[in-house]
Amino acid sequence: MKAAVIGLGVEGKKALHSLLKNNWEVYATDLNVNISPDNLPISLAGVDISPQKDKVSFIKDKLSIDLGFNDQEKVDSCNAVVLSPSIWGSKLAEHYKKSGKLLCDVKTDHRDMFTIGVTGTNGKTTTVTMIKEILENAGKNVLVGGNAGGGFDGYYDLILEADPNKYDVLLVEVCDMTVGFCSYCFDFDLIALTNMGNDHMNVHGSIEGYKNSLKEFFKDKTIFINENQEFKEEFEEVSKLAIEYGETDYDLNLFGRFNKLNAGLSETIAKYINDNAFEIDENIIKNTLERFEPVKGRLEVLKLNDCEIYIGKSDNSDAIKPLLEEVDFTAIFVGTPRHNENHRFDILNEVVNAHPEAIILFPGLEDTLDQAKYRLNSLNYEGRVEIANNLDEIIAFVAEFSHDPAILIGGNGQETIIKIQDRLRQICDSCKK
């Protein structure tokens, strides 16, 4: 079998890996000749390279890659086509939908499985992981993946791996930017919404645009929404069944009301499944949630000297605001977003409103430190502003504030924040000895 992968973003690269692992022959292409070679299963060593002006081709074993152009004959000769979710809704996507050659239409076992989708701005990965652990503790085999940003296998990995004879449940983390793509590719039995917030506005355009995409996604589906969710009535009108959830009453190992809501959503879904699909003992739900540990990269609280260090990705203003409402922080460390994500600098508005003594900026997803400093100046922040250019400098600032009651390390850059977490955990553990 041969597949064409069109678009080599995060999802395209993940699909490429999965196809090769499943012994497919792969033709991959991207119009951007300067695409990052990171996470591509190919290197310059031992590879045939044919540069022609602004076009480059790579060939190795069962994989061939064209950058800067598409070879339509090669695409047409493939048994299946993989499209990047980012180009869903384009004329190209419509063309391949009509052709019947999209991978999700060629391999369809995933549509025969009991499928749960979790979408929203914040809390998706934690909620998905909670549901997964509840189901597994109830003896179910769970295939989980979806949004590559959540650290899971990608959407196409799920399509290739799905087997109703092997798995009881398909659990999909649905990025809010890919709801149209996922609505077409998967047959959801249940869809959960964690929340709606100020993120990916470069894609949605506005909260109104985001709402409308969710309404399409929820049409004629069983959905789970927060009892205080904005646009709740509109979502209820388009759904087949709308079930409300609130904060759990269970005692959690996690900080924050937002995690109480994530657990409340997971609890509500598990109890619904128990009543409508297969048995899940309530003690399993309770024990799983009360023993649940923070997902790597998400918020956890570490203790160093006299200080509680709150650290975890909080990459939009609606993610960081609940933290600032619950704790007074002496210093707040903020990882910067990408250059084209101006809405994510709104994090700094919330941080300034919390009046910390110091704000420490570090490169998160990209080095946009100058933009961040400009935003702080425009907000007339009068406290101390510092730059930490690398991990060692971040740790040095943490040590400086380690005798204050609480500091926060958040913002953008999940991989960077995980590295900080790992280093701080080592330091904290060594201090306990």
Side-chain angles (χ1 to χ4, degrees):
M1 297 284 280
K2 186 175 181 180
V5 177
I6 301 176
L8 287 171
V10 175
E11 290 292 344
K13 289 177 180 177
K14 279 184 171 285
L16 187 155
H17 278 278
S18 188
L19 286 160
L20 292 174
K21 183 179 71 176
N22 284 275
N23 296 315
W24 286 61
E25 185 178 348
V26 180
Y27 169 65
T29 177
D30 197 294
L31 294 179
N32 179 11
V33 75
N34 296 313
I35 193 161
S36 170
D38 294 345
N39 300 318
L40 282 176
I42 197 165
S43 67
L44 296 182
V47 177
D48 294 328
I49 305 175
S50 304
Q52 297 177 354
K53 297 181 181 178
D54 56 350
K55 301 175 182 179
V56 181
S57 296
F58 301 85
I59 303 172
K60 186 177 182 182
D61 300 328
K62 288 189 173 184
L63 172 64
S64 62
I65 300 177
D66 286 335
L67 300 180
F69 69 105
N70 297 330
D71 187 326
Q72 195 59 47
E73 287 187 9
K74 288 183 180 179
V75 175
D76 292 341
S77 70
C78 291
N79 305 99
V81 175
V82 169
L83 295 180
S84 169
S86 65
I87 60 176
W88 194 254
S90 66
K91 290 182 179 180
L92 185 67
E94 290 301 314
H95 168 75
Y96 285 112
K97 277 171 64 176
K98 292 176 182 177
S99 75
K101 292 182 72 171
L102 289 177
L103 183 65
C104 61
D105 291 325
V106 174
K107 289 188 65 65
T108 59
D109 282 350
H110 61 288
R111 290 177 175 155
D112 297 329
M113 297 174 61
F114 186 86
T115 304
I116 304 169
V118 179
T119 192
T121 303
N122 301 307
K124 296 185 297 296
T125 301
T126 295
T127 303
V128 165
T129 308
M130 286 175 169
I131 296 169
K132 173 180 177 288
E133 291 189 7
I134 291 170
L135 291 169
E136 289 180 338
N137 289 339
K140 304 303 175 185
N141 292 322
V142 185
L143 177 58
V144 61
N147 174 30
F152 299 115
D153 289 335
Y155 298 119
Y156 289 109
D157 298 80
L158 296 179
I159 293 168
L160 290 164
E161 175 66 18
D163 182 349
N165 297 314
K166 185 177 178 181
Y167 297 101
D168 302 301
V169 180
L170 178 59
L171 180 55
V172 187
E173 176 176 328
V174 180
C175 175
D176 59 279
M177 296 185 292
T178 64
V179 292
F181 169 84
C182 289
S183 183
Y184 180 85
C185 287
F186 300 97
D187 185 7
F188 292 101
D189 294 278
L190 310 175
I191 299 175
L193 176 65
T194 56
N195 47 58
M196 294 175 64
N198 177 32
D199 201 9
H200 301 140
M201 288 301 123
N202 52 325
V203 174
H204 299 303
S206 64
I207 286 292
E208 185 75 13
Y210 183 14
K211 176 201 71 174
N212 290 335
S213 68
L214 286 175
K215 287 176 69 175
E216 284 296 314
F217 189 37
F218 294 160
K219 192 174 292 183
D220 299 323
K221 297 293 184 181
T222 298
I223 65 171
F224 294 77
I225 52 177
N226 189 318
E227 58 194 6
N228 298 314
Q229 178 62 54
E230 189 179 9
F231 311 119
K232 181 164 68 77
E233 292 77 12
E234 292 187 56
F235 295 149
E236 289 172 340
E237 285 175 4
V238 299
S239 67
K240 179 174 72 175
L241 174 65
I243 299 167
E244 296 181 10
Y245 68 89
E247 295 180 17
T248 187
D249 292 325
Y250 297 146
D251 294 324
L252 305 180
N253 287 325
L254 307 177
F255 168 80
R257 292 185 59 192
F258 52 93
N259 275 320
K260 283 277 192 180
L261 283 169
N262 294 334
L265 173 53
S266 305
E267 176 188 353
T268 304
I269 288 176
K271 288 179 177 178
Y272 176 87
I273 292 173
N274 179 58
D275 293 335
N276 295 275
F278 38 77
E279 185 175 348
I280 303 177
D281 187 275
E282 188 165 342
N283 286 326
I284 290 175
I285 302 172
K286 180 177 186 293
N287 291 337
T288 301
L289 292 175
E290 290 191 338
R291 295 171 184 171
F292 187 85
E293 295 296 329
V295 176
K296 193 170 186 179
R298 274 42 178 191
L299 187 75
E300 67 174 306
V301 184
L302 303 173
K303 181 77 173 180
L304 179 63
N305 296 328
D306 305 312
C307 185
E308 287 188 329
I309 304 170
Y310 294 71
I311 177 169
K313 186 186 79 164
S314 43
D315 56 6
N316 58 78
S317 58
D318 288 292
I320 205 166
K321 186 176 181 179
L323 294 171
L324 303 176
E325 290 175 342
E326 293 196 47
V327 182
D328 291 325
F329 297 105
T330 303
I332 300 176
F333 296 58
V334 181
T336 54
R338 296 183 181 90
H339 284 85
N340 64 336
E341 295 178 329
N342 290 330
H343 60 281
R344 288 191 169 182
F345 286 101
D346 291 348
I347 294 170
L348 295 174
N349 296 51
E350 299 295 339
V351 168
V352 168
N353 287 337
H355 306 293
E357 293 179 14
I359 297 174
I360 294 86
L361 303 172
F362 63 91
L365 290 171
E366 290 182 3
D367 184 346
T368 51
L369 296 169
D370 287 341
Q371 288 175 255
K373 288 189 290 185
Y374 180 83
R375 174 65 70 95
L376 289 177
N377 286 335
S378 69
L379 293 169
N380 298 315
Y381 175 65
E382 296 179 352
R384 175 182 167 193
V385 177
E386 299 284 358
I387 301 297
N389 292 293
N390 54 52
L391 181 57
D392 288 338
E393 292 181 7
I394 292 170
I395 297 302
F397 281 118
V398 170
E400 177 184 342
F401 291 101
S402 66
H403 294 284
D404 289 294
I407 64 174
L408 171 64
I409 303 173
N412 291 263
Q414 179 173 287
E415 291 184 6
T416 301
I417 289 172
I418 288 173
K419 289 177 183 177
I420 302 169
Q421 276 181 328
D422 290 343
R423 175 76 73 84
L424 285 175
R425 204 177 291 111
Q426 291 174 353
I427 295 170
C428 294
D429 289 344
S430 65
C431 290
K432 293 175 184 176
K433 295 178 182 179

